[in-house]
Amino acid sequence: MAIDKKQVEEIVRAVGGKENIEAATHCVTRLRFALYDESKVDTESLDQNDLVKGQFSSQGQFQVVIGPGLVDKVYDEMIQITGGDRSSKDDVKAVAGKKQNPIQRAIKTLSDIFIPILPAIITAGLLLGINNILTGPGIFFDGKSLVDVYPAWKDLASIINTIASTAFTFLPALIGWAAVKRFGGSPLLGIVLGLILVHPDLLSAYGYADAVNNGTVPTWNLFGWEIEKIGYQGQVLPVLVSAYLLAKMEIFLNKRVHDSIKLLVVAPVTLLITGFLAFTIIGPVTFAIANAITSGLIYVYDSYAALGGLIYGGLYALLVITGMHHTFLAVDVQLIGSQGGTFLWPMLALSNIAQGSAALAMMLVLREKKMRGLAATSSVSAFLGVTEPAIFGVNIRYRYPFIFGMIGSAIGGVLLTMNNVQATSIGVGGVPGFLSIFPDKWGVFFIGMAIVLVVPFVLTVIFGRAKLRKEDRSASNETVNEPKAATSQSASGVTSSTAKTDPNQRTRSAAQVGDEAVNTLEIMAPLTGQAVSLEQVPDPAFAEKQMGEGVAIEPSGNVVVAPFDAQVAHVIKSKHAVILEHASGLQVLIHVGINTVSLKGEGFNMHVEAGEHVKAGQKLLEFDRKVIEDAGYPLITPIIIPDGQDMVERVEVTTGDVTSNQNGVLKVHLKG
């Protein structure tokens, strides 16, 4: 497809001109800029550019969505216009990272460390919730637990508890692996470091307080220097600081030790020095700091419970927008490790539900079909603990549902803190969050859940219907961004529009013409798994359908096959995506994972080449799930019908369980 040079020039001008571009690259769908000054971006001009499907800023990068099969041509033309150098994605990421302030960089570092280990922690939390149900007194029987009444269940509960508590017992090993990997060292050494800090020969951190009171804390005597022989179970800071030192020391030695003796020198010296410093200096100092932070939080919680609930419960959704909510993962883990429970996680769960309730209410306020669908699906996602689609897709866009969600969450937060509601672990947020709550506080938690369901919903509906009925209709028209249409006379004498409009409008026009033949292409699932709507994809370019209609699949396998007989139109260099072209000319993008372009092909094995003809069911590519998951990237795979294909009349989406090449996920109606 040829591109208009003037439109590319307009993109350059809209981002502030070539003098404002510090570095630029592209992935399969979008241009990625590191700009000197993002305030110079003319967003209105970008919205009016036919090449641009969307725009947003994330982690210091300004991203302009162009779409697959076209973005590389736009990038090439842009490089010619600006005379700039081609940059890699790592170059742009590095430049963008420098623009973040120290707090932003620290937050991103914590996010990079904790997100990869989050599945293990959440799984442990859910299993501990099951154990709570089995062993919690008063849930099913007055004053007794289920295992008290039915002793046959006792050992089953014990096994579940052992499995569930493992992630928390060896938490320093998990953090050590993720942290050393993030800091550039060998992850295996990070695991060993974490295990050193919880070695069975050490006094468990959980028994430290009693040992101090009894005067029985064991010590090492290093030539008269008494060092407490304690472990760091449930602690975060000691292993984080030690992991940073280990990684930097390993990098330092690797650059200076000859290859022939690296195996004998680098790892042993690194572990010995880091381990020694961890027990003598790093551990005691950070242990004291962590305890001081914990004591401070508990003091505020004990002395000003209502204020703490009001602030944290009300503002948590704002933390999600800034990304700062990731820092509280470390705080939650620290509280659970040192106090046996966290009062922050229950408020997080209610905040998820509150934003979901506000998004659900927008179904009764909005008139535009696409946005109502987004409101419905994103609210379900929020009720299950993932709020980004609801917050970014609906609530922030209209503002007032976001505010009412925070108000409901603040009220619920006050209720929880006033009644000392705590969680035994970090589990899934949203409605399933009750599994993490101490069973004797379920009643209060369910009342809080009712508050965050009702208050945001009612306030959003009342305000939306009273104030935004006309504004919403206008906003809906702006979202469609329909230009004035040129009209043409059909053979049947009916005037129809040839301008760009929304899918529903195109369907109505076709129905009016009546004589137009419509061909249908059914696209089979290229992967086995669960087909879901695009709104559940954690990337605004896909979730907001900036590149086109489609569906996404949460894969259960690791093989992508051709969903129809096709020609391979384009193979992405990093092997994570491929564009297929049907005989009709229709193109389909299959994009494995989100942000997997950063893996540079690692974990992907492409079996086809551009220009090759493939049969339905033929293997296109394979991917290593572990590599992608360990890197912290979602596996969810969008299948997109890119915008700008004139033959497309409308697209129907089917969701649910699918098997590759056996279930249809998209039905594309083509113009006759």
Side-chain angles (χ1 to χ4, degrees):
M1 184 186 298
I3 59 173
D4 188 342
K5 182 177 180 179
K6 291 183 178 179
Q7 291 179 323
V8 181
E9 291 174 343
E10 286 297 327
I11 292 175
V12 174
R13 276 195 287 271
V15 298
K18 63 181 181 181
E19 62 277 1
N20 194 39
I21 301 174
E22 187 170 3
T25 186
H26 75 90
C27 61
V28 66
T29 58
R30 67 202 77 172
L31 300 172
R32 296 172 180 257
F33 294 97
L35 302 175
Y36 288 106
D37 185 358
E38 281 196 15
S39 66
K40 294 182 179 180
V41 175
D42 185 349
T43 56
E44 186 175 339
S45 176
L46 287 173
D47 285 338
Q48 295 173 355
N49 194 312
D50 289 338
L51 283 176
V52 177
K53 303 297 189 298
Q55 56 183 292
F56 59 94
S57 180
S58 176
Q59 296 182 347
Q61 295 182 36
F62 188 79
Q63 303 184 31
V64 178
V65 180
I66 303 296
L70 195 60
V71 65
D72 51 344
K73 297 177 183 178
V74 173
Y75 180 74
D76 291 340
E77 187 66 42
M78 185 185 71
I79 292 298
Q80 290 186 16
I81 293 171
T82 61
D85 296 328
R86 292 178 179 271
S87 301
S88 68
K89 296 170 186 66
D90 286 340
D91 293 336
V92 174
K93 187 182 293 186
V95 172
K98 293 177 182 177
K99 297 180 181 299
Q100 295 178 315
N101 60 45
I103 294 177
Q104 290 173 319
R105 287 198 293 271
I107 291 170
K108 185 178 185 304
T109 298
L110 282 175
S111 173
D112 292 342
I113 291 171
F114 279 93
I115 285 180
I117 66 174
L118 202 53
I121 297 175
I122 288 177
T123 300
L126 288 174
L127 291 176
L128 283 174
I130 296 173
N131 180 70
N132 288 342
I133 294 174
L134 295 174
T135 61
I139 300 176
F140 303 105
F141 306 98
D142 187 21
K144 292 184 178 182
S145 68
L146 189 66
V147 296
D148 290 334
V149 177
Y150 299 103
W153 289 81
K154 188 172 184 179
D155 287 339
L156 175 63
S158 177
I159 292 174
I160 292 174
N161 184 62
T162 299
I163 296 171
S165 61
T166 297
F168 292 103
T169 301
F170 298 101
L171 182 65
L174 296 177
I175 297 175
W177 165 79
V180 171
K181 183 178 181 181
R182 170 62 179 81
F183 296 134
S186 300
L188 182 60
L189 293 183
I191 295 174
V192 175
L193 173 65
L195 293 175
I196 288 172
L197 295 179
V198 293
H199 194 284
D201 285 350
L202 304 172
L203 170 67
S204 172
Y206 301 127
Y208 179 70
D210 289 338
V212 170
N213 292 333
N214 297 329
T216 58
V217 178
T219 60
W220 284 300
N221 190 314
L222 299 180
F223 310 103
W225 183 13
E226 295 284 340
I227 301 170
E228 291 184 333
K229 189 179 177 181
I230 62 172
Y232 294 96
Q233 289 84 356
Q235 299 295 308
V236 174
L237 280 180
V239 68
L240 278 179
V241 176
S242 299
Y244 177 82
L245 176 64
L246 183 145
K248 297 307 176 184
M249 186 176 300
E250 183 190 5
I251 293 170
F252 176 84
L253 292 175
N254 268 324
K255 290 179 179 179
R256 289 161 178 80
V257 176
H258 194 273
D259 290 346
S260 61
I261 58 172
K262 273 186 178 180
L263 188 62
L264 299 174
V265 174
V266 176
V269 171
T270 299
L271 273 177
L272 181 62
I273 295 177
T274 304
F276 183 82
L277 292 175
F279 286 122
T280 57
I281 298 175
I282 297 173
V285 172
T286 55
F287 188 60
I289 293 173
N291 285 336
I293 294 173
T294 303
S295 298
L297 285 170
I298 292 174
Y299 173 77
V300 172
Y301 178 67
D302 289 340
S303 304
Y304 311 99
L307 180 62
L310 185 71
I311 294 174
Y312 186 76
L315 298 183
Y316 179 78
L318 278 178
L319 298 179
V320 173
I321 294 177
T322 63
M324 289 183 65
H325 63 303
H326 293 303
T327 61
F328 284 89
L329 288 173
V331 178
D332 275 314
V333 171
Q334 178 68 36
L335 285 170
I336 292 169
S338 58
Q339 302 297 317
T342 172
F343 49 83
L344 298 177
W345 186 262
M347 289 184 279
L348 175 153
L350 291 194
S351 178
N352 293 157
I353 299 171
Q355 291 299 322
S357 178
L360 183 64
M362 293 302 288
M363 283 188 63
L364 303 181
V365 176
L366 298 170
R367 289 183 173 82
E368 206 272 307
K369 184 177 180 181
K370 175 181 174 181
M371 285 305 301
R372 286 205 309 271
L374 177 59
T377 55
S378 64
S379 66
V380 173
S381 175
F383 290 149
L384 295 177
V386 181
T387 55
E388 281 80 359
I391 289 177
F392 293 107
V394 180
N395 295 353
I396 284 294
R397 181 177 298 186
Y398 296 96
R399 294 184 179 86
Y400 64 90
F402 180 73
I403 294 172
F404 291 142
M406 289 197 300
I407 291 173
S409 180
I411 297 172
V414 171
L415 175 72
L416 296 189
T417 53
M418 291 292 288
N419 288 276
N420 192 29
V421 176
Q422 296 192 35
T424 59
S425 60
I426 298 175
V428 177
V431 175
F434 79 91
L435 291 172
S436 299
I437 307 300
F438 282 97
D440 62 329
K441 297 296 183 180
W442 278 5
V444 178
F445 185 77
F446 287 140
I447 294 173
M449 192 182 294
I451 290 173
V452 296
L453 280 170
V454 174
V455 172
F457 187 90
V458 172
L459 291 178
T460 300
V461 170
I462 293 175
F463 185 87
R465 285 182 171 178
K467 301 292 184 180
L468 294 180
R469 199 168 276 184
K470 292 182 180 180
E471 294 179 20
D472 181 56
R473 189 179 293 114
S474 173
S476 199
N477 292 334
E478 290 177 8
T479 302
V480 173
N481 196 22
E482 181 179 2
K484 289 184 178 180
T487 60
S488 61
Q489 194 78 9
S490 73
S492 60
V494 180
T495 301
S496 61
S497 170
T498 60
K500 181 169 65 177
T501 184
D502 70 276
N504 294 326
Q505 183 62 44
R506 284 200 298 269
T507 301
R508 289 193 294 271
S509 298
Q512 290 171 354
V513 173
D515 296 331
E516 188 179 44
V518 178
N519 298 316
T520 301
L521 171 63
E522 185 171 16
I523 297 176
M524 309 303 285
L527 303 97
T528 296
Q530 178 80 16
V532 298
S533 64
L534 283 181
E535 287 84 352
Q536 296 190 37
V537 179
D539 184 310
F542 292 112
E544 296 177 10
K545 302 182 181 179
Q546 295 174 358
M547 290 176 293
E549 292 284 347
V551 71
I553 295 178
E554 290 278 10
S556 57
N558 68 328
V559 177
V560 179
V561 302
F564 51 78
D565 294 348
Q567 182 178 13
V568 180
H570 190 51
V571 172
I572 309 307
K573 186 177 179 181
S574 49
K575 304 177 184 178
H576 70 290
V578 62
I579 299 175
L580 302 179
E581 184 171 317
H582 186 258
S584 64
L586 179 78
Q587 291 193 341
V588 176
L589 164 69
I590 303 172
H591 189 291
V592 179
I594 302 302
N595 289 326
T596 44
V597 62
S598 301
L599 293 175
K600 301 179 181 177
E602 182 186 358
F604 292 93
N605 184 17
M606 186 67 68
H607 292 281
V608 295
E609 297 179 352
E612 183 178 340
H613 289 273
V614 295
K615 293 290 185 181
Q618 181 175 333
K619 186 185 297 183
L620 299 177
L621 67 92
E622 293 177 281
F623 54 92
D624 189 324
R625 298 173 61 92
K626 188 174 187 303
V627 170
I628 299 173
E629 290 171 341
D630 288 351
Y633 299 123
L635 281 166
I636 191 169
T637 298
I639 296 94
I640 302 295
I641 310 297
D643 277 343
Q645 302 188 73
D646 293 335
M647 77 284 292
V648 178
E649 182 69 36
R650 59 190 172 90
V651 179
E652 295 180 15
V653 176
T654 301
T655 58
D657 292 330
V658 293
T659 302
S660 61
N661 218 45
Q662 293 185 24
N663 304 101
V665 289
L666 293 174
K667 186 176 289 186
V668 184
H669 296 271
L670 306 176
K671 294 178 180 178

